[in-house]
């Protein structure tokens, strides 16, 4: 039987007895305080061995995550008022192993016998004094751990947390003839109590995770995602196809302007490497690249002289986006030679939305408007399918465009390219012939699960007219390449939802100061863009941004969004606009659906003729938690009533009454009414408001002080309704979204 609310657990009583802060319960363990790890066991039948193994697993996890590893393990058995104190150093090698199951599982499988420990009986004064001495000593004790490729990322991020202004060079630098001091990894100062100095020469051991060793700002600026070896090996098949088609009598070069530490080249033969020209921008990647490939490739840019290193961790002259004419002088003789075939093989860095405050310190990668490629590409935006200047601001787009522009110039030239598909699906910044490719899981690039394409494009003297592209779909499972046995088909899109926006302005629109945040609440203390209007015919404000599908691309709010980007839903046509909302809410459950499907208006308003489809989108929207329309009292003195919900006398309720529901809809509406009735009987309910599911979740389905749902029956009803709505969307809406090319 669980303890009554007034009862305290043995662990809580122990914490009180020794004046331990509640914050000591952290890192998913029973206790972590002042160099001590606490592991509580309810029964003395638990063996010390099993309890110790569980503690060792925790310490191993701490090491990997960059959390200081306690020097003391305290196994606490409250039933016999006994603590077993064990020194972590006795299990140094076990702490440095990796454990892939949870700490509490398979603990009896550990065969080591614990022979050295101190028994502390805290029912006696001397035992209490001993524990107080451990818990409250001035200087905690830690187990110094050894750095390897499994834990270096965690410790790098810990170092950056302690030193917000630190950079990768402050962590990784290895002393040389110019500088006598090394970085934190080799000469710890901040981490001196926690880690053993790393003594291996060079950073080659970390080559596949150098991107993750950057501080957060550098990760954002460089936008690097490292290519997994299995995907690099598969992509090499496309390179070899291109090599086979090199015209007879031609030399060839394989160029990678953003080689990083050389992951793409890892599986190449010596012969293939002898044709490579490699360039990288980040200093530590360059050092690994030079160490590993210096005498095996045709060229590494730049030449290896001391003058080529910049103090900010970049290599001078290696910013590929600022080479005059798009080419480095080392590359020009090859590109200018018609008897030399050019094969680009690249995974360009990905970064978007350059902010003005990123342009500082004179770093050429941040000074975007001053780079050659930025200016040259800006002049040709009218030739792209999407002429917005944001196309140029995307770092990967500039690599792709300049690769096509300056390197592919004759038959036989190829570009084997890793990138999300938007560059050819919606932007149209290429003019090349599709020769096949793969869809890979971006999860394995130190990113979130989604689709990244690897395609071979060949030079062509004709405008790209292909509209569908089939890619073989490959994932990585248990260290092996796995064929999903489906083709990921990418279809080009042309028209965004903006052509379907309601841009009407009414003479009785009244300007107001009320704007909404993405969560539906009124904005306060923020500078807002554009003008906000109130009108009795304005029911909501819809923001369906761009082609992409993500939670950041769709907002349905009661009033104008703080930075606009959308349009008003008005009483006379709002039902015709709700399918745009439904399309943006498409759930891409599988990784190979993400970044593949876009929202489009390629069939214009053809969908508006389908009245059943319009109703079903209306029905789902008014019940969905993705609908963030709220009822609230505005700062302008007006009451903003949620009209897109089935409550009281709303516009949506009146519309619903005019329709005959099918059995599925009746069932869902019954579930909603049951939930709403329960919500109305809570003290949190405001009878002045009309409620949708989202507002019930936010204001009524709340947690109490014990982090339990205040109204568990309401929480259960919400889960039921969510499941019903998910099934309804899949059954009645998805197929039509694709039929009318609102999804494509």
């Amino acid at each position: 039987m669980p303890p009554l609310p007034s009862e305290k657990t043995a662990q809580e009583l122990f914490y009180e007895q020794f004046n331990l802060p509640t914050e000591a319960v952290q890192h998913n363990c029973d206790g972590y305080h002042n160099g001590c790890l606490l592991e509580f066991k309810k029964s003395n039948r638990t063996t010390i061995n099993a309890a110790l193994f569980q503690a060792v697993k925790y310490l191993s996890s701490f090491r990997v995550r960059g959390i200081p590893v306690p020097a003391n393990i305290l196994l606490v058995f409250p039933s016999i008022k006994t603590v077993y104190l064990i020194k972590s150093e006795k299990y140094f090698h076990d702490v440095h192993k990796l454990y892939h199951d949870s700490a509490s599982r398979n603990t009896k499988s550990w065969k080591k016998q614990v022979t050295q420990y101190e028994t502390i009986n805290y029912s006696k004064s001397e035992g209490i004094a001993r524990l107080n001495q451990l818990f409250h000593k001035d200087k905690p004790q830690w187990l110094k751990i050894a750095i390897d490729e499994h834990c270096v990322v965690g410790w790098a991020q810990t170092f950056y947390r302690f030193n917000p202004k630190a950079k990768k060079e402050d962590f990784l630098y290895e002393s040389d003839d110019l500088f006598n001091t090394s970085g934190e990894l080799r000469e710890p100062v901040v981490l001196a109590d926690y880690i053993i100095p790393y003594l291996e020469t060079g950073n080659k051991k970390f080559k596949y995770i150098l991107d993750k060793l950057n501080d957060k700002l550098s990760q954002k600026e460089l936008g690097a995602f490292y290519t997994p070896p299995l995907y690099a090996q598969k992509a090499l098949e496309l390179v070899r196809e291109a090599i086979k088609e090199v015209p007879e009598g031609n030399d060839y070069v394989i160029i990678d302007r953003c080689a990083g530490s050389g992951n793409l080249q890892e599986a190449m033969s010596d012969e293939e490497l002898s044709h490579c020209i490699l360039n990288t921008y980040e200093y530590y990647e360059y050092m690994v690249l030079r160490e590993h490939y210096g005498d095996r490739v045709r060229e590494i840019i730049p030449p290896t002289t001391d003058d080529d290193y910049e103090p900010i961790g970049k290599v001078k002259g290696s910013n590929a986006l600022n080479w005059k004419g798009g080419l480095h002088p080392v590359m020009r003789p090859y590109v200018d030679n018609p008897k030399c075939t050019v094969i680009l093989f690249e995974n360009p860095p990905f970064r978007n939305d350059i902010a003005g405050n990123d342009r500082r310190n004179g770093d050429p990668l941040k000074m975007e408007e001053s780079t050659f490629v930025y200016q040259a590409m800006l002049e040709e935006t009218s030739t792209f399918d999407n002429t917005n200047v944001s196309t140029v601001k995307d770092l990967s787009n500039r690599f792709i465009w300049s690769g096509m522009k300056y390197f592919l110039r004759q038959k036989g030239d190829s570009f084997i390219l890793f990138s999300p598909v938007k560059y050819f699906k919606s932007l149209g910044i290429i003019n090349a012939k599709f020769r096949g490719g793969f869809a890979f899981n971006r999860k394995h690039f130190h990113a979130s699960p989604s689709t990244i394409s690897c395609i071979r494009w060949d030079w062509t003297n004709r405008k790209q007219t292909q509209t569908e592209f089939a890619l073989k779909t490959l994932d990585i499972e248990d260290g092996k390449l796995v064929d999903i046995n489906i083709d990921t088909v990418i279809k080009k899109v042309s028209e965004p939802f903006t052509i379907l926006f309601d841009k009407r302005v009414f003479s009785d629109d009244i300007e107001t100061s009320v704007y909404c945040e993405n969560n539906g609440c009124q904005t306060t203390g923020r500078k807002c863009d554009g003008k906000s209007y109130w009108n009795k015919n304005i029911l909501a404000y819809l923001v369906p941004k761009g082609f992409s599908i993500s939670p950041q691309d769709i907002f349905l709010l009661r009033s104008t969004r703080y930075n606009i980007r959308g349009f008003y839903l008005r009483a006379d046509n709002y039902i015709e606009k709700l399918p745009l909302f439904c399309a943006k809410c498409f759930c891409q459950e599988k990784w190979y659906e993400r970044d593949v499907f876009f929202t489009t208006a390629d069939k214009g308003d053809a969908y508006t003729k389908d009245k059943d489809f319009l109703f079903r989108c209306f029905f789902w929207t008014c019940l969905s938690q993705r609908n963030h329309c709220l009822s609230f009292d505005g700062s302008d003195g007006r009451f903003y009533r949620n009209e897109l919900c089935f409550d009281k006398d709303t516009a949506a309720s009146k519309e619903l009454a005019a329709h005959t529901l099918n059995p599925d809809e009746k069932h869902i509406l019954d579930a909603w009414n049951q939930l709403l009735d329960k919500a109305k009987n809570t003290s949190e309910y405001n009878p002045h408001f009309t409620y949708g599911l989202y507002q019930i979740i936010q204001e009524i389905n709340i947690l109490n002080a014990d982090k339990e749902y205040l109204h568990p029956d309401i929480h259960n009803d919400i889960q039921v309704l969510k499941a019903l709505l998910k099934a309804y969307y899949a059954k009645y809406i998805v197929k039509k979204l694709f039929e009318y090319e609102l999804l494509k």
Side-chain angles (χ1 to χ4, degrees), residues 47-268:
T47 67
I48 296 178
N49 280 51
L52 175 60
F53 189 28
Q54 184 171 350
V56 165
K57 286 184 178 181
Y58 282 128
L59 299 187
S60 172
S61 174
F62 294 168
R63 182 186 78 94
V64 172
R65 292 155 59 196
I67 298 170
V69 175
N72 300 308
I73 300 170
L74 277 67
L75 307 179
V76 185
F77 291 80
S79 61
I80 56 175
K81 295 287 186 177
T82 299
V83 171
Y84 298 101
L85 169 62
I86 301 170
K87 293 296 183 180
S88 303
E89 63 185 15
K90 301 293 184 183
Y91 300 91
F92 180 88
H93 295 292
D94 297 288
V95 170
H96 283 73
K97 294 178 182 178
L98 297 179
Y99 303 96
H100 300 291
D101 55 355
S102 67
S104 61
R105 296 189 62 184
N106 301 316
T107 54
K108 294 181 181 179
S109 65
W110 210 40
K111 302 304 181 184
K112 293 193 175 183
Q113 292 297 316
V114 182
T115 58
Q116 296 182 340
Y117 55 85
E118 178 184 347
T119 303
I120 304 172
N121 184 340
Y122 65 92
S123 66
K124 298 181 178 180
S125 59
E126 57 268 27
I128 294 172
R130 177 68 171 124
L131 290 178
N132 275 320
Q133 184 265 333
L134 287 169
F135 292 142
H136 303 297
K137 65 174 58 176
D138 292 336
K139 186 173 176 58
Q141 292 178 313
W142 308 101
L143 174 68
K144 291 188 179 183
I145 59 92
I147 296 291
D148 60 21
E149 63 272 28
H150 302 298
C151 70
V152 67
V153 172
W155 286 102
Q157 297 309 317
T158 297
F159 174 65
Y160 298 138
R161 282 196 298 273
F162 289 161
N163 297 267
K165 295 182 179 180
K167 296 289 186 180
K168 185 192 287 187
E169 54 266 31
D170 299 317
F171 183 72
L172 274 184
Y173 191 79
E174 184 176 11
S175 63
D176 55 20
D177 293 338
L178 292 178
F179 299 97
N180 293 324
T181 58
S182 291
E184 184 73 16
L185 186 63
R186 291 175 171 84
E187 295 182 4
V189 176
V190 175
L191 304 178
D193 290 336
Y194 313 128
I195 69 173
I196 298 170
Y198 182 77
L199 300 178
E200 292 189 33
T201 301
N203 298 305
K204 183 179 175 181
K205 194 171 185 177
F206 310 136
K207 65 172 294 182
Y208 293 116
I209 52 174
L210 280 172
D211 60 330
K212 299 186 78 173
L213 291 176
N214 283 315
D215 60 280
K216 295 297 184 183
L217 181 59
S218 294
Q219 287 181 14
K220 177 182 177 183
E221 291 169 346
L222 293 171
F225 293 98
Y226 279 66
T227 316
L230 289 174
Y231 284 159
Q233 292 169 23
K234 193 65 179 176
L236 193 54
E237 294 178 8
L238 303 177
V239 176
R240 288 170 175 161
E241 290 173 6
I243 292 173
K244 288 178 182 178
E245 296 179 17
V246 171
E248 187 176 352
N250 269 24
D251 184 18
Y252 71 92
V253 288
I254 304 171
I255 295 175
D256 188 348
R257 297 167 294 164
C258 39
S261 56
N263 295 20
L264 286 182
Q265 292 73 34
E266 187 68 36
M268 285 185 175

Side-chain angles (χ1 to χ4, degrees), residues 504-520:
R504 295 177 298 170
V505 177
F506 285 64
S507 59
D508 57 346
D509 287 346
I510 299 172
E511 188 173 345
T512 178
S513 59
V514 172
Y515 296 79
C516 283
E517 292 290 324
N518 297 336
N519 63 7

Side-chain angles (χ1 to χ4, degrees), residues 413-624:
D413 292 349
S414 294
F415 196 168
I416 293 87
L417 169 65
F418 286 84
S419 182
V421 304
K422 66 177 182 177
Y423 72 97
F424 67 94
K425 181 176 174 74
S426 61
L427 301 181
I429 60 174
I430 66 166
N431 181 23
K433 182 179 180 181
F434 175 76
R435 294 296 304 277
F438 309 108
F440 294 141
N441 188 347
R442 200 172 174 188
K443 167 187 174 182
H444 306 292
F445 293 71
H446 302 165
S448 55
S450 64
T451 301
I452 185 168
S453 65
C454 179
I455 295 175
R456 177 187 169 195
W457 301 99
D458 282 1
W459 175 87
T460 179
N461 60 357
R462 298 178 181 176
K463 179 70 176 174
Q464 169 65 259
T465 58
Q466 189 170 345
T467 58
E468 293 191 13
F469 308 83
L471 305 176
K472 189 174 183 178
T473 311
L474 300 166
D475 202 352
I476 297 174
E477 296 178 5
D478 299 324
K480 296 180 180 179
L481 202 62
V482 178
D483 189 340
I484 304 299
N485 293 319
I486 63 169
D487 279 348
T488 295
V489 179
I490 313 298
K491 297 182 179 182
K492 291 195 71 171
V493 299
S494 56
E495 295 292 348
F497 277 169
T498 49
I499 68 168
L500 298 173
F501 283 14
D502 184 354
K503 300 182 173 103
R504 295 177 298 170
V505 177
F506 285 64
S507 59
D508 57 346
D509 287 346
I510 299 172
E511 188 173 345
T512 178
S513 59
V514 172
Y515 296 79
C516 283
E517 292 290 324
N518 297 336
N519 63 7
C521 298
Q522 182 178 345
T523 295
T524 58
R526 180 200 286 271
K527 184 180 183 300
C528 299
D529 297 335
K531 294 181 178 180
S532 179
Y533 292 99
W534 177 90
N535 193 313
K536 63 182 180 181
N537 69 15
I538 292 176
L539 304 186
Y541 191 81
L542 180 61
V543 184
K545 299 193 299 183
F547 289 107
S548 298
I549 302 171
S550 78
Q552 290 73 42
D553 296 315
I554 181 65
F555 303 102
L556 180 56
L557 311 169
R558 180 58 185 89
S559 187
T560 318
R561 186 170 180 251
Y562 65 89
N563 68 347
I564 55 176
R565 308 290 189 273
F567 66 97
Y568 294 108
L569 298 182
R570 297 186 187 260
D572 62 344
N573 70 351
Y574 75 98
I575 291 178
E576 291 184 0
K577 304 302 178 182
L578 293 180
L580 309 188
F581 174 76
C582 291
K584 283 290 185 184
C585 292
F586 177 61
C587 181
Q588 304 159 98
E589 294 185 338
K590 301 179 177 64
W591 68 262
Y592 48 81
E593 296 174 337
R594 297 173 195 157
D595 293 337
V596 167
F597 297 122
F598 285 10
T599 55
T600 83
D602 286 357
K603 281 193 175 181
D605 64 354
Y607 73 91
T608 62
K609 311 299 188 293
D610 188 334
K611 302 305 179 185
D612 287 340
F613 174 60
L614 292 180
F615 170 74
R616 284 164 177 165
C617 289
F618 156 78
F619 182 79
W620 183 85
T621 298
C622 292
L623 291 168
S624 171

